[in-house]
Amino acid sequence: MTFNELNDEQKQAVKQEGNVLLTACPGSGKTRVIIHKLAYVASHFDETCKKKVAAVTFTVRAAEEIFRRVNALGINCDHVWSGTLHAFCLEWILKPYSCYVPALKNGFSIADETFCSELVSNLKAKYKIKQTEPINFQFQRDGSCVETNNVKLKLLDDYHTFLKEKKLIDFEQILCYSYEILTGNPKISKVLSNLFKLVCVDEYQDTQELLYAIISTIIKSGKGNTSLFLVGDIDQAIYTSLGGVAKSLDEIQAELDNLPVTPLTLAGNYRSSQRIIDFYSNFQTQPIVINAVGSNAEKRGLITLNQTVDKSNIVDEIARLIQNSLDKGIPEDEICVLVPQWRLITSVSKKLRVALPNVNFDASGLSPMSKNRDNIWYKLSRLFLTERNPKIYSARYRWATELIDGFRDITNTEFSERYSSERNLLRLINSINSNKEEGIDYLKDCFMQFLKTVEIDYTKHPLLVELWDFYFTSIRKRIEDSNFKIPSDIQSFKRFYRERAGVVINTCVGVKGEEFETVIAYGLLKGLIPHWNDILAQKGIEASKKLLYVICSRAKTNLHLISETGRKTKAENAYKMTDELKNISFQYDVI
């Protein structure tokens, strides 16, 4: 394989043997390094070799992008696995070894996220807990709950009992049971260490405590047979509220029983101008000097801060900034608007479409089916709603594999021989269409055509019926919820799966890992960025710096920050500018 597109730092990281902790600043090409690392190790396998390399990612999108790009390098993908942290545990630990857990030995399914949300909502009402009150669902290594509040622990007990009765497990239980299997059966860890030559963990700073324990158990069992490649940036650790832990080199070595770990750094930023980098370095906590090395390194660009616009005029101000970038020849899909809360995505996009009728907008960060990713019907709908083009063929091929496996697990039967292969299944799905204009009607029509052809009567399988009801009920509720204001037509449904085509509207969490020529961020107010929960948990300064670091580092050349006036808390107190932004002394541009 060729290393022509890698710089010296990247080449060293790819070729470095043993365990590695790679600190990668924004725009340093960490995904490129992961892809080449996987390809480099896998290229040394011969055709008869059964070993694999794995990329464990934080998001499904990242996993699919890595798999697509490794496939494009011509590497035998039988040797490559990529997926989320939970998918790794599910596929390689829980499914093959669930018989070792009494609670799972008679079968289990993954709980639909919408189902879990409704169950928790009902239990909060039962225990007189505010609906907005957070509950920690995570587990300690000994299997006990991380949550300490007695009332919330009673709620969790009811919650887990109900799931058990339904033979369901949620995401946190996936981790808990996986760790229980590995620690209770050391031979399984040994089997996995013999199977995987390399495990890459992307965004390691957002990895949960139990995931560190699971991965390190496998690495330790190999006694040097399996290498660990951790990639991330502590300054981009914005998932601490979800259990993410940014461990130090010493802590990681301790996890591995002091196996050697080589620390490396990627400090060259190919994304942003030096002016943008110098600005967001105000929010850094790590002593890394970041240098712009891309083609736009010396561009001045624009960095603005608006702290006078009233919230009632916020859309007009954003529209003005968008038009300013468009007038300079910046493409629509190189402009991003970051909102402080995900529920605002749809309403803001609608108002911007009115303000700029000739501009395309991509608000795909909020999908009516986004909470159902582990539902078998979501997996089928994804194939019906995506475009048939070569660029995503490898991804659709993987989805077809998941679909075949999913129906087999639920129905205990195989598709007929004609549709048992991924290629033939994709041909079938590509041949099905509907003239229904509403998204739900369209999907139901396509599903029924599909089921009739593959000769499956879903009504004879209780779990399929239950998942069907969960799936369509949750979509309908999101469409009807005034907080979401999600369009219901089929073209809008399909738009959620299209590649970026227009000004992107999303949250800073939703665009993590992405980059844009112009970034416009509003709602930079204490209580929103960071959220009150982080402030009350005494993580306000740390959370604020990391969120601002992520927001600003998405920009290549232009950065527009807005701390609007006129917003008030429930107690009628005015929201103030985020402290860490207010304290910066900087000569902002004016346009």
Side-chain angles (χ1 to χ4, degrees), residues 143-398:
S144 62
C145 292
V146 171
E147 182 63 70
T148 56
N149 179 278
N150 287 331
V151 177
K152 293 179 181 179
L153 284 171
K154 289 180 181 178
L155 181 152
L156 286 172
D157 187 53
D158 283 0
Y159 170 79
H160 291 132
T161 298
F162 193 88
L163 290 184
K164 184 177 181 180
E165 291 173 354
K166 293 280 189 178
K167 292 185 178 181
L168 296 171
I169 62 173
D170 66 8
F171 272 23
E172 300 303 332
Q173 288 176 309
I174 289 175
L175 306 185
C176 184
Y177 285 134
S178 294
Y179 186 60
E180 178 184 334
I181 288 171
L182 293 183
T183 53
N185 307 274
K187 289 183 179 179
I188 296 174
S189 298
K190 186 68 175 177
V191 168
L192 291 173
S193 68
N194 286 334
L195 176 62
F196 290 102
K197 180 67 177 174
L198 170 72
V199 177
C200 296
V201 179
D202 190 16
E203 305 282 10
Y204 83 90
Q205 77 278 355
D206 292 321
T207 298
Q208 288 190 32
E209 185 68 37
L210 267 181
L211 257 300
Y212 280 110
I214 290 165
I215 298 296
S216 63
T217 299
I218 295 170
I219 302 300
K220 288 185 294 186
S221 294
K223 296 181 179 179
N225 186 51
T226 303
S227 295
L228 179 62
F229 191 74
L230 298 170
V231 187
D233 179 3
I234 289 178
D235 279 325
Q236 296 188 67
I238 61 175
Y239 290 95
T240 52
S241 62
L242 299 178
V245 181
K247 296 208 171 192
S248 67
L249 175 63
D250 290 342
E251 290 172 324
I252 290 167
Q253 286 184 310
E255 284 280 2
L256 299 177
D257 288 348
N258 293 317
L259 285 172
V261 179
T262 302
L264 297 174
T265 302
L266 299 180
N269 185 312
Y270 289 88
R271 173 189 302 159
S272 303
S273 67
Q274 192 62 52
R275 188 169 187 241
I276 293 286
I277 293 171
D278 291 343
F279 180 78
Y280 71 66
S281 66
N282 286 288
F283 310 121
Q284 274 186 267
T285 63
Q286 300 303 299
I288 299 173
V289 177
I290 304 174
N291 296 309
V293 293
S295 59
N296 64 339
E298 301 303 320
K299 284 188 178 180
R300 175 175 172 80
L302 293 170
I303 300 180
T304 67
L305 173 63
N306 189 328
Q307 50 187 315
T308 60
V309 64
D310 186 80
K311 69 169 187 176
S312 61
N313 298 319
I314 196 71
V315 170
D316 290 338
E317 174 61 12
I318 294 171
R320 183 179 76 90
L321 295 171
I322 291 172
Q323 191 62 58
N324 179 270
S325 284
L326 293 173
D327 290 344
K328 293 179 179 179
I330 296 174
E332 291 175 346
D333 62 359
E334 282 289 337
I335 303 171
C336 176
V337 177
L338 295 180
V339 304
Q341 297 174 327
W342 55 266
R343 64 182 180 83
L344 298 174
I345 292 174
T346 304
S347 60
V348 168
S349 67
K350 282 187 174 182
K351 291 175 183 176
L352 284 171
R353 285 188 177 103
V354 172
L356 298 169
N358 296 320
V359 176
N360 296 305
F361 289 92
D362 182 349
S364 58
L366 187 63
S367 156
M369 61 283 288
S370 60
K371 283 194 170 188
N372 306 82
R373 295 184 184 278
D374 289 289
N375 191 309
I376 190 72
W377 302 112
Y378 171 86
K379 296 177 188 293
L380 182 57
S381 70
R382 182 171 51 179
L383 286 166
F384 278 115
L385 296 175
T386 48
E387 296 178 356
R388 290 75 154 166
N389 68 61
K391 189 174 181 180
I392 63 168
Y393 178 77
S394 60
R396 298 186 83 241
Y397 189 93
R398 290 187 75 195

Side-chain angles (χ1 to χ4, degrees), residues 338-506:
L338 295 180
V339 304
Q341 297 174 327
W342 55 266
R343 64 182 180 83
L344 298 174
I345 292 174
T346 304
S347 60
V348 168
S349 67
K350 282 187 174 182
K351 291 175 183 176
L352 284 171
R353 285 188 177 103
V354 172
L356 298 169
N358 296 320
V359 176
N360 296 305
F361 289 92
D362 182 349
S364 58
L366 187 63
S367 156
M369 61 283 288
S370 60
K371 283 194 170 188
N372 306 82
R373 295 184 184 278
D374 289 289
N375 191 309
I376 190 72
W377 302 112
Y378 171 86
K379 296 177 188 293
L380 182 57
S381 70
R382 182 171 51 179
L383 286 166
F384 278 115
L385 296 175
T386 48
E387 296 178 356
R388 290 75 154 166
N389 68 61
K391 189 174 181 180
I392 63 168
Y393 178 77
S394 60
R396 298 186 83 241
Y397 189 93
R398 290 187 75 195
W399 300 342
T401 301
E402 291 179 13
L403 198 65
I404 291 170
D405 293 343
F407 272 102
R408 182 195 302 118
D409 291 343
I410 294 174
T411 65
N412 290 319
T413 59
E414 303 278 354
F415 287 148
S416 62
E417 185 175 349
R418 182 178 178 184
Y419 302 113
S420 61
S421 73
E422 288 84 354
R423 294 181 191 279
N424 287 342
L425 193 67
L426 287 174
R427 288 194 187 101
L428 168 62
I429 290 171
N430 293 346
S431 71
I432 294 174
N433 209 328
S434 172
N435 59 6
K436 304 291 185 181
E437 295 183 359
E438 286 295 296
I440 289 178
D441 295 338
Y442 180 96
L443 286 176
K444 285 184 176 180
D445 187 12
C446 290
F447 286 2
M448 294 308 294
Q449 292 181 56
F450 171 82
L451 292 169
K452 181 178 180 180
T453 306
V454 298
E455 299 179 348
I456 290 179
D457 183 351
Y458 86 97
T459 63
K460 293 183 178 180
H461 302 278
L463 182 55
L464 282 180
V465 173
E466 191 171 36
L467 292 173
W468 176 288
D469 292 340
F470 286 155
Y471 184 65
F472 286 110
T473 300
S474 67
I475 293 176
R476 192 174 298 282
K477 284 184 176 180
R478 293 198 106 189
I479 290 173
E480 295 173 352
D481 191 329
S482 58
N483 289 323
F484 295 100
K485 299 178 182 177
I486 295 174
S488 62
D489 62 285
I490 186 55
Q491 293 307 316
S492 295
F493 273 37
K494 289 182 176 181
R495 198 174 296 122
F496 293 125
Y497 291 93
R498 288 178 191 152
E499 292 194 26
R500 217 160 73 194
V503 176
V504 173
I505 304 175
N506 211 322

